[in-house]
Amino acid sequence: MFALVDGNNFYVSCERVFRPALEGVPVVVLSNNDGCAIARSNEAKALGIQMGQPWHEIRHREASDGLVVVSANFALYGDMSDRMMSLAAGLGPSQEIYSIDESFIGLDGVRGDLKARALAVRSRILRWMGVPCCIGIGSTKTLAKFANHVAKSAERKPGSYPLQHAQVCDLSTLAWHQLEELLEATDVGEIWGIGPRLGKQLRKVGVATAADLARLDPATARARFSVVVERTVRELRGMACISLDDLSQPRQQITCTRSFGRPVQAYGPLVEAISEFASRAAEKLRAQSSHAGHVLVFIRTSPFRKEPQYSRSVTVALPRPCADTLAIVSTALSGLQAIYQPGYQLAKAGVMLMDLVAASHAQLDLGLEAPDGHRDKARLMQALDAVNSRWGRDTIKVGSAKIGSAPRGWTMKQQRRTPAYTTDWSQMPIARA
Ligand SMILES: [Mg+2]
């Protein structure tokens, strides 16, 4: 059994925690040098503003509709994400951090009323952080994702699904015909792993709803489409094919996290672990031809052990957006250095690459000369990937004996960035009574 915990309009929700006046107002978060929308509040979605829409196209909405626009504040989002993930981890024994605001929780062995437990975690996240989220529960990851979609839609668009599923939707207690009704009411393109393009192809052959997809013969699905579609059909029928930490779709964030086999206290092994995670993440980044702008590093103790608890994260900007293992590892290690404290039994650590842009786009968008050696770096990375793919993982890897020095802050154009409320003493909000 799996749960998916997902923050609602996460970047906007983080901004609203510290600026309550933004509640109920259309809000858009901009990225890529304030170039386009990467997050929208429900009110902004209602105005018809699209994901990725260029800023100059929506600018007039400030005057006409009271639209509020802020620059992406990745230090804030990274820190809030880490807090949310550590609260979500309390839902079950294993966790896969899927993106900055989504994590899968493995629920095997969890007894009692799952929905009540999920509602308690949801309200804890809301009370302790101020971020609303939705939780979906299902017997496979695809069904948990679908349940989350139902929970979100039932809350946001009344009438789309029965109201009882709003905020937390537990499919595990439903009979097949009840689940089928929900699938019937869902466009096939909404299902995880299908998306708009494949959805279009499926509709052409009469597979219009998620229920149609679930009824497809798996062998036919494989023959006419792909192994991925076959797997999705099986997953919709409740047959788990995708385990935690095992996926291959392009992501908006790339994470590499791991629970340690046995708790780690010393700095040395952490340096090795973080170097490895950062290298792995950089490899995935290059595989999907993206560049990253920011690196998040976290370390934490286990919430299930009765020991002093420690959970810290930090988001560090790369000197410039890149997919270079050396730069990403050294930036991640400078982050580790900033958050490490001796004396704790650390159970988990990870690296997340965020603020991703297409590699081609990143270079054009900067309007800067490529620095010396940039080309050589790209060729070095190509050689690294080629050697490792031919001779096996880690044939060549970063030594990481030396800790990288703190990187220069990347001077992105971010004219409307909100303060680093949660990660910088000098920018902490002040409450007056
Ligand atoms: Mg979300």
Side-chain angles (χ1 to χ4, degrees):
M1 199 64 68
F2 298 92
L4 180 77
V5 184
D6 182 3
N8 299 355
N9 309 326
F10 186 68
Y11 294 171
V12 172
S13 296
C14 290
E15 298 287 350
R16 280 177 169 165
V17 170
F18 298 95
R19 288 173 67 186
L22 298 182
E23 215 61 64
V25 171
V27 181
V28 156
V29 176
L30 298 178
S31 187
N32 304 334
N33 290 325
D34 285 349
C36 59
I38 55 162
R40 306 157 297 157
S41 71
N42 289 344
E43 298 79 7
K45 289 176 189 169
L47 288 178
I49 295 171
Q50 300 297 311
M51 200 64 173
Q53 196 166 359
W55 162 226
H56 62 88
E57 286 180 14
I58 52 176
R59 179 166 219 148
H60 63 281
R61 298 287 199 155
E62 283 185 302
S64 61
D65 300 285
L67 177 69
V68 175
V69 170
V70 297
S71 303
N73 183 346
F74 286 104
L76 176 66
Y77 310 150
D79 184 59
M80 296 291 274
S81 168
D82 184 56
R83 292 169 193 226
M84 185 168 107
M85 295 307 170
S86 58
L87 293 174
L91 187 56
S94 50
Q95 179 181 37
E96 174 197 341
I97 295 172
Y98 179 63
S99 73
I100 194 160
D101 66 335
E102 286 174 75
S103 69
F104 285 102
I105 308 290
L107 297 175
D108 288 346
V110 177
R111 283 190 293 271
D113 184 342
L114 288 178
K115 181 158 184 172
R117 195 180 164 95
L119 280 165
V121 167
R122 184 191 179 276
S123 72
R124 185 181 299 161
I125 292 172
L126 186 61
R127 202 167 58 239
W128 291 8
M129 294 180 52
V131 169
C133 68
C134 286
I135 302 180
I137 299 169
S139 56
T140 67
K141 283 173 83 176
T142 304
L143 284 173
K145 262 280 205 190
F146 172 62
N148 190 273
H149 165 76
V150 172
K152 233 187 297 180
S153 309
E155 185 180 25
R156 188 158 74 90
K157 300 181 217 148
S160 57
Y161 297 102
L163 202 58
Q164 84 223 42
H165 297 306
Q167 298 182 348
V168 173
C169 171
D170 180 5
L171 299 178
S172 70
T173 58
L174 300 187
W176 170 250
H177 74 273
Q178 293 170 303
L179 173 58
E180 210 174 16
E181 273 171 34
L182 297 176
L183 292 168
E184 205 73 68
T186 306
D187 184 275
V188 68
E190 292 291 349
I191 296 299
W192 194 38
I194 299 297
R197 225 171 63 194
L198 202 47
K200 214 168 153 187
Q201 292 177 31
L202 283 160
R203 270 189 294 275
K204 258 188 210 156
V205 298
V207 180
T209 69
D212 296 335
L213 184 63
R215 282 191 289 258
L216 215 58
D217 170 50
T220 312
R222 183 184 194 138
R224 294 189 68 164
F225 297 96
S226 67
V227 185
V228 178
V229 176
E230 180 200 9
R231 199 174 62 174
T232 305
V233 170
R234 291 188 196 279
E235 284 247 322
L236 283 177
R237 296 175 175 197
M239 206 182 306
C241 309
I242 311 172
S243 55
L244 285 184
D245 283 315
D246 148 40
L247 259 170
S248 48
Q249 284 119 322
R251 313 248 181 134
Q252 290 174 300
Q253 292 86 32
I254 289 175
T255 60
C256 187
T257 69
R258 206 163 304 156
S259 299
F260 298 129
R262 98 170 47 127
V264 172
Q265 271 209 53
Y267 191 54
L270 277 176
V271 167
E272 280 169 28
I274 293 295
S275 305
E276 188 192 318
F277 300 162
S279 306
R280 195 76 72 231
E283 205 179 290
K284 292 190 207 170
L285 185 69
R286 291 192 294 274
Q288 66 170 49
S289 303
S290 300
H291 282 185
H294 288 73
V295 183
L296 177 146
V297 182
F298 75 83
I299 49 177
R300 70 174 69 120
T301 50
S302 165
F304 296 100
R305 282 167 165 261
K306 290 209 177 350
E307 289 163 353
Q309 294 286 305
Y310 186 75
S311 172
R312 288 289 181 283
S313 74
V314 66
T315 301
V316 190
L318 281 154
R320 53 180 285 135
C322 71
D324 172 9
T325 295
L326 302 177
I328 289 171
V329 168
S330 94
T331 300
L333 290 180
S334 74
L336 174 66
Q337 198 171 31
I339 56 177
Y340 175 74
Q341 283 284 333
Y344 294 97
Q345 302 282 342
L346 298 168
K348 187 167 185 147
V351 169
M352 184 187 296
L353 303 181
M354 41 207 248
D355 190 14
L356 305 191
V357 286
S360 50
H361 186 260
Q363 283 164 13
L364 290 175
D365 199 49
L366 286 171
L368 296 172
E369 298 272 312
D372 294 341
H374 182 73
R375 250 237 176 95
D376 296 343
K377 278 275 173 54
R379 287 174 56 195
L380 176 62
M381 291 303 119
Q382 261 172 27
L384 184 85
D385 289 341
V387 169
N388 284 338
S389 106
R390 172 148 185 208
W391 300 104
R393 220 174 220 194
D394 294 338
T395 303
I396 299 184
K397 61 178 180 179
V398 179
S400 285
K402 197 164 149 258
I403 314 294
S405 55
R408 292 171 291 121
W410 167 246
T411 49
M412 248 196 307
K413 183 174 151 203
Q414 290 203 304
Q415 289 170 346
R416 297 161 183 246
R417 188 162 71 191
T418 47
Y421 299 109
T422 60
T423 52
D424 183 346
W425 287 109
S426 68
Q427 298 181 47
M428 199 152 69
I430 297 168
R432 295 189 176 81

